[in-house]
Amino acid sequence: MRDSVLIIDLNDYTYEIQSRPDLFEKWIGGTGVAVQLLREHMDPKADPLGEENVIVFATGPFTPAYPLASKTVAMFKSPLTGNLGESHAGGRTATSIANAGYGAIVIKGASEKPVYLVIENEKVHFRDGRVLWGIEDSLIVGRIIAENESGRGIRTMMRIGGAGEKLVRYACVTTETYRHFGRLGLGAVFGSKRIKALIVRGRGKFLPSDPKRFREIYDEIYRTAIASDAMKKYHLLGTAENVIPLNELNSLPTRNLTSAKFEKAEEISGEALAEHNLGRRIACSHCPIACIHLAALRIPYENEPYFYKTIMVSYDYELIYALGSMLGVGSREGLLRLIHRVECYGLDAMSTGVCLAWATEALKRGILTRDHTIVELSFGDVDGYLKAIDYIYEQPNEFYRNLAMGVDHASDVYGGKDFALSFGGNEMPGYHTGHAAHIGFATGLRHSHLDSAGYSLDQKVTELTPQEAVDRLVAEECWRQVLSSLVVCFFARGVYKVDLISRAFEPLGVEVTEDDLVRTGEEIYREKLKLKLEMGFKPEDMRIPGRIFEIQSLRGKLDEDFIREAMNYYVRKVREMI
Amino acid sequence: MKRLEIKDIEKCVGCGLCMFACSRKFASHPEIGNSSSAILPVSLSGFERGATVIFCKACSEPPCAQVCPTGALKPKKGGGVVYIERLCIGCKYCVEACTLNAIFEREDGKIAVCIHCGYCVNYCPHGVLEYREVKT
Ligand code: SF4
Ligand code: SF4
Ligand code: SF4
């Protein structure tokens, strides 16, 4: 197994490569290994924006052996929540890191001056980043580096835009232009360490221990993947295909969740985008599905007839929710412009949308005034939002400085807590399906819909007690620790079933039973939970925004007692688990 | 003879499955990774602008073979080259000589060049590549 850990120290611009078979044998890779590395290298009380914060990138044992093992886990202390930060991205990160020979990369310290890092097999280059610093458009940063550095086709290029430099707590790290370590503020951590970009290029090889069996298993996974429903579903419309069904199920958060039905859902649906705007589809490295959908947006110049620019904008369900329905934006062009703006600055789209939705409602209710927001914010008004996104980056006044710290923080300062839609400090994802979704946001260790997929539980099972809901969600989250340690794309979870995973390890010379896998998933969950508690996570203090109880969902109006009971049960469960 | 050809480059999604397939092409010693890959999909400064898939086009007068000092690359009948790994000293003259940049450096300092075996075509999920008979 690939067990090299590259440790980079920005304080003195040194690096070393350690061989850690112990780590990868016990903890698989990805999330499992990242938790341990973070624990080894970081004080849980570290200041997220101080040099003592540590960034870990970890890949898994199936990269690049098998298709769909296409993701990298980033782990760090989140400047948004002050707690554990974990974010996954695709693109070419995983295969490049693996081909360069590393299982994981640890970045410590902070550079005095802006740098960008170039990592290759056995070598790290610390490059002068001063000229790139201050370029607020991450797309341009990418183009400049692409021209400067070798490794076309075999490299990953992570970078931050202006939002990361300005320490917006929900700035993302963009990779290969259209994929993101989106959530929980890794971009601000890059900014605080003065890392503008991180390039990894790799050309390497590994040998299977059983060549014949390796090709057979590969073919089995490949065939299963291209025949799978996921392949059809995500290749055709992408995740955007969820817009219409969720809207019909009364589950699409709209106008700061003052409704869960959006009358213009049709217009910003996956179907409409595909019909009118879809320009190209692309894939993460080693993924046959190609779920990344790029819309071509043609914008005329106002004062120059017959002069257009055409920009490509990558869209996904989450972005359509956060910058579309949540802001009441029902025009595709408006939505795509907003996505593009957020992409340029390198902001997390979900957090940005939720922050702006809250600000819009707060302004309407008189909690905020135009002195705060500078521009008029009203649902559906794209121009106002475009300007406000500029301000989140520029932070021209105290209000935007606060808004750049997240909706939880802003509502602490100004009020409007009841309709500040965040869980554990992380802005809410786009699913108002029922109790399970929200319990999942509250209990999930990333406060993400991907932790435990409560939205899917709400759709599949109707009769659940609060305790059953928590048990099912935690069990799902435990299993997902295996997937995110491997690290396979969650869209391929139907392909990577437990028996296949166990068999896929064999030709790589690793023996793991199905029971081992399940048990390891639970252990990783526990380790992550422990780390989160050490960082100050208090499940008993979890704030549940009152708004979610006011609005009809797929499961009708939600019951506050139900969720309170679930949380009490979860608190007890946590105590038992550690 | 049969050749690896591009059928429709506009459908390339940049997944790199062809590249990883090339590393597995020898049944007796498949590799994991890209060191021995002789095919490389690259974007035109971002896949939104489209792709190029780089591999040997099987020249009838291959410049790579002309500059090879040891005879490790020999012109093949019908176009392209035969690579005799044993003779390769890793000088990379061929890498310089190929106008298409279709000779790749391996991790061990030797080179990788497409032998037109057609294995990768089976793994391109989007019909970009084909393996077809051409007149020589
Ligand atoms: S490697 Fe380049 S020069 Fe050599 S035969 Fe192929 S295309 Fe021609
Ligand atoms: S035809 Fe064979 S040698 Fe050429 S790129 Fe495809 S797999 Fe590699
Ligand atoms: S397998 Fe096909 S779609 Fe994927 S990179 Fe290669 S040519 Fe492009």
Side-chain angles (χ1 to χ4, degrees):
Chain A
M1 240 186 332
R2 195 173 46 253
D3 57 28
S4 289
V5 179
L6 169 66
I7 301 169
I8 299 173
D9 193 339
L10 286 169
N11 284 341
D12 51 11
Y13 308 102
T14 55
Y15 61 93
E16 72 173 298
I17 298 166
Q18 294 179 349
S19 171
R20 295 293 304 273
D22 57 314
L23 215 53
F24 288 86
E25 271 159 30
K26 183 150 169 49
W27 301 108
I28 305 178
T31 298
V33 162
V35 168
Q36 300 304 322
L37 284 170
L38 207 58
R39 163 155 302 137
E40 283 176 24
H41 291 279
M42 191 186 77
D43 173 359
K45 299 276 170 284
D47 170 3
L49 295 176
E51 64 173 63
E52 56 283 17
N53 199 354
V54 168
I55 304 168
V56 178
F57 291 104
T59 63
F62 289 177
T63 312
Y66 299 121
L68 289 157
S70 47
K71 297 241 171 179
T72 304
V73 168
M75 218 176 260
F76 48 97
K77 192 163 181 186
S78 163
L80 179 64
T81 65
N83 205 284
L84 185 64
E86 178 183 348
S87 189
H88 304 177
R92 232 182 274 122
T93 50
T95 55
S96 301
I97 294 173
N99 285 326
Y102 306 110
I105 298 171
V106 177
I107 303 176
K108 311 165 66 154
S111 175
E112 209 180 294
K113 293 276 167 78
V115 286
Y116 75 94
L117 305 177
V118 180
I119 296 172
E120 48 190 26
N121 305 57
E122 267 148 56
K123 217 181 274 154
V124 178
H125 306 271
F126 298 88
R127 302 254 210 261
D128 190 336
R130 285 174 299 176
V131 173
L132 299 177
W133 203 257
I135 300 178
E136 78 251 15
D137 186 338
S138 92
L139 301 168
I140 292 174
V141 176
R143 279 189 212 168
I144 295 171
I145 296 175
E147 294 297 320
N148 266 346
E149 294 290 338
S150 63
R152 265 198 338 151
I154 56 163
R155 68 185 172 199
T156 182
M157 201 192 296
M158 309 175 201
R159 70 269 194 174
I160 57 170
E165 287 184 23
K166 293 275 207 140
L167 307 180
V168 177
R169 302 301 193 268
Y170 41 93
C172 69
V173 169
T174 303
T175 183
E176 282 69 81
T177 311
Y178 301 116
R179 297 289 92 185
H180 312 88
F181 292 96
R183 308 236 64 197
L184 297 169
L186 181 61
V189 181
F190 263 51
S192 70
K193 295 186 178 306
R194 282 170 288 281
I195 307 170
K196 186 67 181 178
L198 176 66
I199 293 91
V200 186
R201 56 174 170 245
R203 214 167 158 91
K205 72 160 188 242
F206 312 91
L207 298 177
S209 60
D210 183 343
K212 183 159 171 272
R213 201 71 197 111
F214 167 59
R215 293 222 305 186
E216 283 165 12
I217 295 274
Y218 188 102
D219 288 352
E220 181 185 340
I221 296 173
Y222 178 69
R223 274 196 307 270
T224 316
I226 56 173
S228 72
D229 288 345
M231 175 81 181
K232 273 168 239 127
K233 175 172 168 183
Y234 295 120
H235 181 65
L236 291 180
L237 295 178
T239 56
E241 94 150 10
N242 291 327
V243 175
I244 288 181
L246 283 168
N247 190 51
E248 275 166 10
L249 297 175
N250 238 331
S251 305
L252 177 66
T254 299
R255 297 189 182 85
N256 203 38
L257 195 55
T258 48
S259 166
K261 239 186 172 21
F262 186 36
E263 68 287 354
K264 294 185 183 143
E266 203 77 44
E267 279 165 60
I268 52 169
S269 65
E271 287 80 352
L273 281 157
E275 189 177 331
H276 301 285
N277 305 85
L278 182 59
R280 221 176 248 286
R281 278 183 289 212
I282 56 179
C284 294
S285 180
H286 219 169
C287 167
I289 294 176
C291 77
I292 307 167
H293 283 57
L294 304 181
L297 175 64
R298 192 168 88 143
I299 305 175
Y301 283 84
E302 254 164 48
N303 305 319
E304 290 182 76
Y306 302 116
F307 208 74
Y308 298 91
K309 60 178 165 190
T310 302
I311 48 179
M312 299 297 264
V313 184
S314 120
Y315 61 89
D316 259 309
Y317 171 72
E318 298 299 344
L319 286 75
I320 298 173
Y321 140 72
L323 300 170
S325 65
M326 197 62 165
L327 296 180
V329 171
S331 89
R332 278 188 305 281
E333 192 196 312
L335 167 68
L336 292 171
R337 278 169 176 258
L338 288 167
I339 296 177
H340 182 67
R341 187 68 56 101
V342 159
E343 185 80 87
C344 290
Y345 290 132
L347 286 160
D348 175 49
M350 267 190 266
S351 289
T352 306
V354 171
C355 282
L356 290 176
W358 168 83
T360 308
E361 185 170 342
L363 183 66
K364 207 159 142 196
R365 288 168 172 251
I367 295 173
L368 298 174
T369 68
R370 274 288 291 277
D371 284 343
H372 294 108
T373 61
I374 309 174
V375 278
E376 181 60 33
L377 298 176
S378 64
F379 289 120
D381 175 14
V382 173
D383 288 329
Y385 289 130
L386 284 170
K387 203 68 218 145
I389 292 169
D390 291 340
Y391 291 149
I392 289 175
Y393 155 67
E394 290 163 13
Q395 298 165 39
N397 64 9
E398 200 180 296
F399 170 71
Y400 281 102
R401 281 195 289 283
N402 284 317
L403 198 62
M405 292 171 85
V407 80
D408 214 27
H409 173 82
S411 57
D412 274 342
V413 177
Y414 301 99
K417 211 76 215 168
D418 248 23
F419 55 91
L421 291 159
S422 68
F423 291 81
N426 193 19
E427 285 74 18
M428 170 190 154
Y431 303 88
H432 185 56
T433 44
H435 297 105
H438 291 288
I439 297 168
F441 305 153
T443 60
L445 299 183
R446 294 187 281 160
H447 307 292
S448 155
H449 59 296
L450 292 169
D451 284 323
S452 50
Y455 61 89
S456 150
L457 194 55
D458 280 325
Q459 291 174 60
K460 282 193 204 126
V461 190
T462 44
E463 294 300 324
L464 279 178
T465 65
Q467 290 79 1
E468 282 165 349
V470 171
D471 286 340
R472 299 266 306 240
L473 291 168
V474 171
E476 177 67 24
E477 189 165 354
C478 286
W479 172 245
R480 287 184 175 214
Q481 303 314 302
V482 175
L483 300 177
S484 64
S485 296
L486 280 171
V487 184
V488 297
C489 179
F490 280 179
F491 296 162
R493 59 184 179 274
V495 176
Y496 281 99
K497 300 243 172 67
V498 66
D499 72 300
L500 176 71
I501 297 172
S502 164
R503 284 187 295 120
F505 265 114
E506 280 167 33
L508 307 181
V510 180
E511 227 181 280
V512 189
T513 66
E514 297 181 23
D515 288 347
D516 290 341
L517 284 168
V518 173
R519 206 171 329 107
T520 307
E522 289 163 4
E523 268 184 72
I524 295 171
Y525 178 89
R526 258 197 308 276
E527 291 287 302
K528 194 154 107 181
L529 176 61
K530 264 196 259 168
L531 182 57
K532 208 168 147 72
L533 292 166
E534 284 164 25
M535 288 180 173
F537 176 48
K538 290 201 177 63
E540 57 277 16
D541 293 348
M542 178 60 56
R543 179 182 73 88
I544 309 289
R547 173 58 47 82
I548 69 165
F549 302 111
E550 294 165 19
I551 305 304
Q552 288 287 339
S553 75
L554 162 65
R555 297 263 151 257
K557 268 210 179 162
L558 304 188
D559 177 2
E560 215 171 328
D561 291 336
F562 188 101
I563 295 209
R564 196 171 316 119
E565 222 177 290
M567 287 312 293
N568 290 339
Y569 175 72
Y570 175 69
V571 170
R572 289 201 300 279
K573 197 176 164 94
V574 164
R575 266 192 228 118
E576 277 161 30
M577 269 187 293
I578 51 162
Chain B
M1 70 182 286
K2 278 189 133 184
R3 287 267 175 73
L4 173 65
E5 302 262 324
I6 297 279
K7 192 163 152 199
D8 184 356
I9 190 65
E10 291 305 327
K11 287 171 91 180
C12 178
V13 298
C15 64
L17 263 89
C18 51
M19 176 178 84
F20 291 110
C22 186
S23 284
R24 293 192 313 279
K25 63 182 173 291
F26 297 119
S28 59
H29 53 100
E31 292 178 13
I32 296 168
N34 58 1
S35 174
S36 301
S37 300
I39 181 166
L40 181 71
V42 297
S43 73
L44 310 175
S45 197
F47 273 99
E48 69 275 19
R49 294 179 193 81
T52 303
V53 182
I54 304 172
F55 58 89
C56 165
K57 75 173 273 281
C59 310
S60 51
E61 275 182 43
C64 53
Q66 268 170 355
V67 300
C68 179
T70 65
L73 283 174
K74 290 218 169 67
K76 190 157 69 180
K77 223 176 100 219
V81 284
V82 180
Y83 176 49
I84 307 157
E85 193 183 318
R86 182 171 49 82
L87 298 178
C88 178
I89 53 168
C91 68
K92 316 277 164 49
Y93 290 169
C94 54
V95 174
E96 293 285 317
C98 176
T99 315
L100 302 180
N101 297 315
I103 299 197
F104 302 91
E105 295 181 34
R106 288 189 336 208
E107 188 188 40
D108 64 1
K110 297 200 178 192
I111 58 131
V113 60
C114 174
I115 54 171
H116 291 271
C117 68
Y119 187 73
C120 55
V121 175
N122 306 317
Y123 296 91
C124 174
H126 305 292
V128 177
L129 304 173
E130 67 182 338
Y131 193 47
R132 68 178 156 99
E133 203 59 52
V134 290
K135 276 209 266 324
T136 58

